[in-house]
Amino acid sequence: MTREEDIRNAVETLRRGGVILYPTDTVWGIGCDATNAEAVARVYDIKKRDDSKAMICLVDSDARLQRYVRNVPEVAWQLLDCVADKPTTVILDGAVNLAPNLLADDGSVALRITAEPFSKELCFRFQKAIVSTSANISGQPTAQNYCDIAPEIINAVDYVCWSRRQEHKPHTPSSVIKLGMGGEVQIIRK
């Protein structure tokens, strides 16, 4: 299967409200349409995760990120420019246009602009934010590569991407930084 076919199949699944398993700029992720509350609920279910814990969303560009936050503080752009060599997730206040069950209790959302070719193209073709939560049961070790993913997770999703399945190298989750409307910076995960 070509990468283009793989992305097309994943996008069709996302548009139908399905859940996918896909490689990201960090670890393998469970994903869905970040604007579809039913799909988001399925991801929480698959992970056996409390829905009070918000999940990360991937986007392909600065412009797409701005569709999901009322006001992106200037410090966010400065921070993303400074750490361009490491995947960094920013938690921003004032989330809009996303499934309500995806947001934190304070109305914030965690977003990451992916530069990795597969996930960037997937986000671009889908034209919306995609949930990106690690492909593991909540509380269990993070699956760094496809071979680390539990069969229970693989069998629970609607589509498993083919790209990068053979990869065997260390991957780590993104850094997570919370930014307040007044420019306050809080490091959640290095």
Side-chain angles (χ1 to χ4, degrees):
M1 175 180 299
T2 67
R3 188 174 99 163
E4 290 73 27
E5 291 169 328
D6 200 14
I7 288 173
R8 186 171 49 249
N9 292 340
V11 167
E12 287 171 7
T13 303
L14 293 168
R15 287 189 179 138
R16 288 193 313 267
V19 175
I20 65 170
L21 195 56
Y22 69 112
T24 75
D25 54 339
T26 59
V27 297
W28 271 74
I30 301 171
C32 70
D33 177 350
T35 67
N36 182 326
E38 288 178 23
V40 170
R42 273 196 62 211
V43 173
Y44 280 117
D45 228 27
I46 290 167
K47 282 189 66 79
K48 296 181 171 57
R49 183 174 179 171
D50 182 0
D51 66 6
S52 68
K53 293 184 176 182
M55 294 185 285
I56 294 170
C57 297
L58 282 188
V59 293
D60 63 318
S61 65
D62 295 357
R64 189 109 42 225
L65 182 139
Q66 292 179 84
R67 289 184 188 177
Y68 301 110
V69 179
R70 277 191 190 90
N71 294 302
V72 179
E74 183 58 35
V75 68
W77 303 122
Q78 294 167 0
L79 181 70
L80 291 171
D81 286 343
C82 289
V83 294
D85 59 331
K86 180 178 183 354
T88 301
T89 300
V90 290
I91 300 173
L92 299 166
D93 292 326
V96 293
N97 305 319
L98 292 165
N101 54 340
L102 184 62
L103 308 181
D105 290 338
D106 65 1
S108 64
V109 63
L111 292 161
R112 186 168 71 249
I113 301 169
T114 180
E116 184 272 328
F118 183 87
S119 55
K120 186 175 184 76
E121 182 75 10
L122 178 64
C123 290
F124 175 76
R125 295 287 173 208
F126 185 55
Q127 295 286 297
K128 293 183 190 177
I130 299 173
V131 167
S132 180
T133 185
S134 57
N136 62 308
I137 301 295
S138 191
Q140 293 185 359
T142 301
Q144 293 186 31
N145 295 287
Y146 177 77
C147 63
D148 302 323
I149 302 170
E152 178 179 5
I153 298 285
I154 294 169
N155 294 330
V157 302
D158 302 305
Y159 182 73
V160 180
C161 291
W162 287 92
S163 298
R164 293 181 44 206
R165 280 194 192 186
Q166 304 307 315
E167 200 171 81
H168 295 281
K169 63 182 188 178
H171 294 280
T172 55
S174 67
S175 296
V176 179
I177 300 171
K178 182 167 179 44
L179 302 176
M181 290 301 282
E184 310 83 21
V185 176
Q186 179 184 2
I187 297 171
I188 306 293
R189 180 173 68 204
K190 283 190 172 196

